[in-house]
């Protein structure tokens, strides 16, 4: 009986010792070593902080909406719901928007025209890179070749053709419109894009990015597509 107890105790000690050794080795020699410099880490931290700030803003906006509903009586509830629906339609890009902004044109480069190089479409990767470039600024409303671009939009290659929301993007020249929250924001965006290296990315594909100066009035049309309601159903009156 005593030998059996000693054997079990020895087995437990071996198991604990093996697990401790494995944990120590994994901590001492990690599989992947972080080789980023301090600026790369700071950049990633800044991106995470920006995301955190945007999430807090959305939470505050939702809390404000909830408070509005709770403070209203039955007579004004319908009006509040209508305003919320209109706001959601606007965020989803279903309504026309007017405001200050800039108009950008994508054209074939002069060299490609002089040498007779065939004009190619703007690649999905290049278009996505441009969208990521301007997303450094908050509150922008974007239209690409007459197609409203929102957080629900997609840029894809379908049968060799660049599409936005499943609709074909025209062969350059192509126009893109950007509306900013204010004229000052439009000026900042113009200055940023004028000095951005995104021009080099377009030039490699024999395209040039012509950034127009800020304008007081720019209009962006809403998306003609309507959302389909698949889950919500209207209850009969009285229920």
């Amino acid at each position: 009986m005593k030998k059996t107890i000693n054997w079990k105790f020895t087995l437990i000690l071996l198991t604990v010792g093996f697990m401790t050794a494995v944990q120590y080795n994994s901590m001492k020699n990690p599989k992947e070593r972080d080789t980023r410099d301090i600026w790369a880490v700071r950049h990633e931290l800044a991106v995470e902080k920006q995301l955190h700030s945007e999430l807090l803003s959305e939470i505050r906006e939702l809390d404000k909406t909830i408070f509005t509903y709770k403070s209203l009586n039955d007579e004004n509830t319908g009006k509040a719901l209508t305003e919320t629906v209109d706001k959601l339609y606007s965020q989803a890009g279903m309504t026309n928007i007017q405001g200050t902004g800039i108009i950008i044109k994508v054209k074939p480069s002069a060299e490609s025209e002089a040498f007779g190089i065939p004009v190619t479409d703007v690649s999905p990767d290049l278009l996505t890179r441009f969208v990521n470039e301007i997303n450094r600024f908050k509150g922008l409303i974007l239209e690409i070749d007459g197609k409203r671009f929102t957080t629900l939009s997609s840029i894809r290659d379908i049968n060799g053709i660049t599409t936005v929301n499943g609709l074909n993007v025209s062969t350059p020249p192509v126009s893109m419109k950007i509306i900013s929250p204010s004229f000052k924001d439009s000026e900042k965006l113009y200055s940023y894009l004028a000095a951005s290296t995104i021009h080099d990315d377009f030039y490699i594909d024999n395209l040039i990015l012509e950034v127009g100066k800020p304008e007081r009035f720019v209009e962006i049309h809403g998306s003609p597509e309507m959302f389909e309601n698949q889950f919500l159903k209207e209850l009969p009156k009285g229920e």
Side-chain angles (χ1 to χ4, degrees), residues 46-92:
V47 172
E48 293 298 329
K49 290 181 66 176
Q50 181 179 359
L51 177 61
H52 181 258
S53 177
E54 293 175 356
L55 291 175
L56 288 178
S57 299
E58 292 181 5
I59 292 174
R60 283 194 292 266
E61 190 68 23
L62 292 174
D63 288 339
K64 182 179 178 181
T65 302
I66 294 174
F67 176 78
T68 301
Y69 287 155
K70 290 182 178 179
S71 61
L72 291 176
N73 51 34
D74 294 338
E75 297 179 357
N76 296 327
T77 302
K79 181 180 179 181
L81 289 173
T82 301
E83 292 177 352
T84 302
V85 171
D86 293 340
K87 183 178 180 180
L88 292 175
Y89 268 108
S90 177
Q91 292 177 349

Side-chain angles (χ1 to χ4, degrees), residues 90 95-103 139-143 148 176-187 189 213-222:
S90 177
T95 58
N96 296 343
I97 301 293
Q98 298 87 25
T100 60
I102 59 177
I103 298 177
L140 300 182
I141 301 173
L142 174 63
E143 179 186 274
R148 187 71 170 271
M176 296 185 288
K177 298 179 181 179
I178 304 175
I179 291 180
S180 303
S182 65
F183 189 78
K184 186 176 181 179
D185 292 325
S186 297
E187 291 178 329
L189 178 62
K213 292 185 178 181
E215 300 181 15
R216 294 288 181 180
F217 180 83
V218 175
E219 183 176 11
I220 290 180
H221 299 285

